[in-house]
Amino acid sequence: MATTNLEFTKNEDLNQQAWDAVKQKLSVIHQGGGAKAAAKQKEKGKMLCRERIDYLRDKNSEWIEIGEFAGYEMYPEHGGCPAGGVVAGLGFVSGRQCMIVANDATVKAGAWFPITGKKNLRAQEIAMENHLPIIYLVDSAGVYLPMQDEIFPDKEHFGRIFRNNAIMSSMGITQIAAVMGSCVAGGAYLPIMSDEALIVDKTGSIFLAGSYLVKAAIGEDVDNETLGGGTTQSEISGVIDDKFPDDKSCLDRIRYIMDKLGKPHDAGFSRVKAAAPKENPKDIWGILPSDRAKPYKTLEIIHRLVDNSEFEQYKENYGKTIICGYARIDGWAVGIVANNRELAKAKKPGGSTEMQFGGVIYSDSADKAARFIMNCNQKNIPLVFLQDVTGFMVGSRSEQGGIIKDGAKMVNAMSNSTVPKFTIIMGNSYGAGNYAMCGKAYDPRLIVAWPSAKIAVMGGEQAAKVLLQIEEMSLKSKGEEITPEAKKALLDKITQRYENQTTPYYAASRLWVDAIIDPLQTRTWISMGIQAASQAPVKPYNVGVIQT
């Protein structure tokens, strides 16, 4: 192992402390709008959104939650929006893997903030990519009006939800909606554009305009129950398929429907009986340096993630700053592309060698990775990217060696990959390295971060110095001089602001990643992701034009 016992213990303590901090924040997020708001829901005879999901899901089955940190520390002037006001994740209902999306009525009555829309669209995207059934548990007051301009009219805003309803229907993806509380205005289209629309009597209601708006618009006096309650919409209008006396009976009907679905597609990914890693996965805490600049053996991490700790490297002695190879995770065959954080000796033409920095992508590494990605597509093997990357190598030697060309080759091969891709941000994720290693912009089926992740255009120290130079030039242009003391204070302020923006919390709050996870959950996330992806057909692979 690359670390001394003292270093291992220090890393273990600090990394576990980082995960403890994540869990503490999640415990608060899971309370939604708080005890008072939860009590009001209970008084109405309603289950809370997480209770609904727990009741609906198969007991003792896997569940991975998407976007728990969505909205974290955002919208303080509006009282916050824990988990984006909606709970979403991959789970099993009547033995069938599906996406579940449930509005949290304790958060502003389930109203849609901008991040709520983004999270709902992400849930639909996962369902569409993987041809998964999707279940909506609707309990929402509609668009959050004080921020309507940021959620209503654009392509990735509220209206896209209903467009996706229509597209999924045409794709043959099952959609089931249960109206378990308010469902108003444009939001009323979501359940009705689903295959099955259910409602809970007395607590559920669905209409384009509530009683107050109807009174203001046309002068009619009518109560909400008469306007759009369970009896009206299931027995008179026919908008809803069936009504139920309470939440549990409605959820029971969803389980009954899910039990009758036809078999899903099989994409043909190889899977054998799963085996635990021979190397102890808990060692990851001690292997991963708490100092993001320190080198370590990425292979030691890989051996603790894969079945039987068996990993067959591809071109082991070439392009050493990226590790490529074949393995199995929870029985699934995978191709792994990982940034090697060790210093590596690289052979040059003529037989001489040079040292290469760990975590940096060089031309030979990019070339190797591109070829490996194409091979995995040829063999129908899902890809797993393990990110700890500071970027591509710079300087005259790299430019003359064609680093841009080789980097473009890797990005092209990865971008056009049609086998499912999964990204784990273990440590640094900087600049173009984030792109080449399948960052969020490149459509990984799932992308998660460990608590040790750092995501930014460049490292904090370098960025802060660049930003300081810009600030100094701005002050000088105004005829202002900056003292050494003021310069240090300004650098500290810039550094702190930048560092805050590189944390996994900042990324997860904006859904740049789907979750912050315990490294020991990595195998589960990858396995659940591949199981989901196996239900969608794989398209033919074509990389287009690549410079060689």
Side-chain angles (χ1 to χ4, degrees), residues 277-278 302-303 306-312 326-328:
K278 287 183 179 178
I302 293 173
H303 288 152
V306 301
D307 290 12
N308 285 318
S309 299
E310 293 176 352
F311 179 65
E312 183 69 24
Y326 303 103
R328 289 189 182 271

Side-chain angles (χ1 to χ4, degrees), residues 188-486:
Y189 287 104
L190 184 145
I192 310 312
M193 295 187 73
S194 298
D195 303 320
E196 305 251 0
L198 316 175
I199 194 168
V200 178
D201 199 22
K202 307 306 180 187
T203 56
S205 59
I206 176 170
F207 34 62
L208 293 181
S211 56
Y212 292 123
L213 185 53
V214 168
K215 174 67 174 176
I218 64 173
E220 180 185 0
D221 285 309
V222 61
D223 62 87
N224 283 339
E225 186 63 27
T226 303
L227 190 63
T231 298
T232 295
Q233 300 292 30
S234 64
E235 298 179 18
I236 301 174
S237 71
V239 165
I240 291 289
D241 298 321
D242 208 348
K243 68 175 180 178
F244 300 86
D246 53 37
D247 283 8
K248 287 186 177 180
S249 59
C250 184
L251 296 169
D252 287 338
R253 174 59 67 88
I254 294 174
R255 292 185 56 80
Y256 181 86
I257 295 169
M258 289 292 291
D259 179 60
K260 306 301 181 292
L261 299 188
K263 289 184 179 180
H265 177 87
D266 182 0
F269 305 135
S270 172
R271 193 181 195 187
V272 299
K273 185 177 179 181
K278 287 183 179 178
E279 302 290 345
N280 189 353
K282 292 182 179 179
D283 289 344
I284 291 173
W285 296 115
I287 296 168
L288 194 69
S290 55
D291 181 349
R292 297 294 345 114
K294 282 190 175 181
Y296 64 92
K297 289 185 177 180
T298 305
L299 272 174
E300 297 282 1
I301 300 287
I302 293 173
H303 288 152
R304 285 157 177 81
L305 293 176
V306 301
D307 290 12
N308 285 318
S309 299
E310 293 176 352
F311 179 65
E312 183 69 24
Q313 283 207 60
Y314 172 82
K315 293 192 176 184
E316 180 178 354
N317 297 311
Y318 174 71
K320 292 185 177 181
T321 64
I322 288 184
I323 297 170
C324 298
Y326 303 103
R328 289 189 182 271
I329 292 179
D330 198 34
W332 294 103
V334 295
I336 295 176
V337 181
N339 301 112
N340 186 10
R341 284 302 308 273
E342 282 190 286
L343 290 171
K345 284 186 178 180
K347 289 185 178 180
K348 297 164 60 180
S352 62
T353 61
E354 68 173 354
M355 294 303 296
Q356 292 184 338
F357 297 103
V360 178
I361 302 175
Y362 290 77
S363 284
D364 53 357
S365 299
D367 176 65
K368 176 174 82 171
R371 177 77 177 184
F372 179 73
I373 290 166
M374 289 187 277
N375 273 337
C376 286
N377 276 272
Q378 182 79 355
K379 297 178 176 69
N380 200 31
I381 300 174
L383 284 159
V384 174
F385 292 83
L386 302 178
Q387 284 197 16
D388 195 345
V389 58
T390 53
F392 284 86
M393 191 58 190
V394 297
S396 60
R397 181 182 297 180
S398 292
E399 297 294 356
Q400 291 168 15
I403 185 66
I404 295 176
K405 175 187 67 178
D406 291 318
K409 185 191 305 181
M410 179 179 175
V411 170
N412 195 325
M414 180 274 301
S415 300
N416 285 296
S417 177
T418 55
V419 294
K421 301 172 290 193
F422 303 90
T423 301
I424 315 297
I425 303 178
M426 306 186 302
N428 301 324
S429 179
Y430 293 153
N434 169 283
Y435 299 163
M437 292 294 294
C438 196
K440 181 63 183 291
Y442 293 84
D443 298 324
R445 298 294 176 98
L446 295 172
I447 176 170
V448 296
W450 290 356
S452 46
K454 292 279 187 181
I455 305 166
V457 72
M458 66 177 72
E461 184 178 351
Q462 302 96 310
K465 289 178 179 178
V466 172
L467 291 168
L468 177 63
Q469 290 174 5
I470 294 170
E471 188 68 25
E472 279 188 284
M473 290 172 61
S474 176
L475 290 171
K476 286 180 180 178
S477 69
K478 298 174 184 175
E480 299 178 28
E481 288 295 327
I482 183 167
T483 65
E485 294 78 13

Side-chain angles (χ1 to χ4, degrees), residues 90-108:
L90 289 176
F92 294 88
V93 176
S94 297
R96 186 66 175 266
Q97 191 180 31
C98 59
M99 172 62 70
I100 304 173
V101 182
N103 298 116
D104 186 351
T106 69
V107 180
K108 293 287 192 298

